[in-house]
Amino acid sequence: MTFGFAPSSAASLSTSAASVHRVLEPAEWAAAGIPLLRNPREVVSGLHARHRPGPATGVIAVLDPDERLRASASFTRRPSPADGWMFRNALLDQLRRVIPHDLRRRTPVRTAVLLYCRDGDARWTEEDGAWMWGLRDACTLHGLRCGAYITLTRDGWQVLGEGRGGRRPNTGSPPELFGAAETPPLPPRTGGAASEVLRRAAAR
């Protein structure tokens, strides 16, 4: 005879309720005041060109106030149920690897965005809701502002909760040339009135 403890119905309900709370619905995400990207296609194209993500691959990126990329990391999701708590831990681990936290700041300055490449179409899924929950919580624990959650599918890319998206890049498209995805840096300034004054002073 074997003795054991079967989970009570109350425990099952408690576990189910906890899982539900670790998923954000699109309406909750839209109401959370997530800052809008000024140029989402540029951000998506730049991350796609850098990391070339395949299905079940996420790219977490940290942007400065001018939307310049400060750090990014890609990772592959392990096969497991969609759980925002587990996703939060995975994102937090990647953030800690690539950039120091900003917990000493009173107000977050840098913003983290998540690009997630997956199978299926662009419609919201429970997995997306778990990633949203995980991104929001990871940003809080790392002292960052929670930014956009972007899916990349065969149909293209989409910023969930905003209704903005495009057909390229997608899961089947080759990465764009890096220069086409980003504005090239301005060349160093030379010459001008100040340089002329310094040149004359040095010649004396």
Side-chain angles (χ1 to χ4, degrees):
M1 183 178 290
T2 304
F3 293 93
F5 294 93
S8 68
S9 58
S12 299
L13 287 172
S14 175
T15 303
S16 175
S19 297
V20 169
H21 289 132
R22 292 196 289 257
V23 173
L24 288 179
E25 299 282 343
E28 294 176 294
W29 182 257
I34 305 299
L36 302 179
L37 289 170
R38 289 195 296 270
N39 193 337
R41 187 183 186 281
E42 183 176 305
V43 172
V44 173
S45 297
L47 295 178
H48 183 257
R50 273 187 179 86
H51 296 279
R52 304 187 182 189
T57 301
V59 179
I60 184 75
V62 179
L63 310 177
D64 70 11
D66 295 322
E67 283 193 7
R68 290 190 296 261
L69 182 65
R70 289 305 174 201
S72 64
S74 61
F75 57 96
T76 303
R77 180 195 164 186
R78 296 177 179 176
S80 61
D83 187 324
W85 185 80
M86 294 179 65
F87 289 174
R88 184 276 307 273
N89 291 343
L91 294 172
L92 200 54
D93 181 57
Q94 296 300 323
L95 287 171
R96 287 169 175 163
R97 290 172 186 267
V98 298
I99 199 162
H101 67 74
D102 276 348
L103 293 172
R104 293 184 181 89
R105 292 182 178 272
R106 291 185 177 181
T107 304
V109 173
R110 297 181 291 192
T111 302
V113 301
L114 175 61
L115 172 70
Y116 185 62
C117 180
R118 61 168 173 76
D119 294 322
D121 56 31
R123 289 176 293 182
W124 180 89
T125 66
E126 187 173 330
E127 181 185 20
D128 294 325
W131 280 118
M132 290 171 168
W133 191 98
L135 176 62
R136 185 184 66 176
D137 215 42
C139 288
T140 299
L141 294 174
H142 207 66
L144 302 169
R145 289 200 308 169
C146 179
Y149 172 68
I150 308 160
T151 57
L152 188 70
T153 66
R154 63 173 183 266
D155 297 330
W157 59 272
Q158 182 177 358
V159 185
L160 292 193
E162 293 184 21
R164 292 191 291 174
R167 293 184 178 180
R168 295 178 69 86
N170 55 57
T171 52
S173 64
E176 296 182 356
L177 293 176
F178 198 69
E182 287 193 334
T183 304
L186 294 174
R189 296 181 63 180
T190 56
S195 296
E196 183 63 21
V197 170
L198 291 174
R199 187 186 65 79
R200 289 177 180 174
R204 291 175 185 171

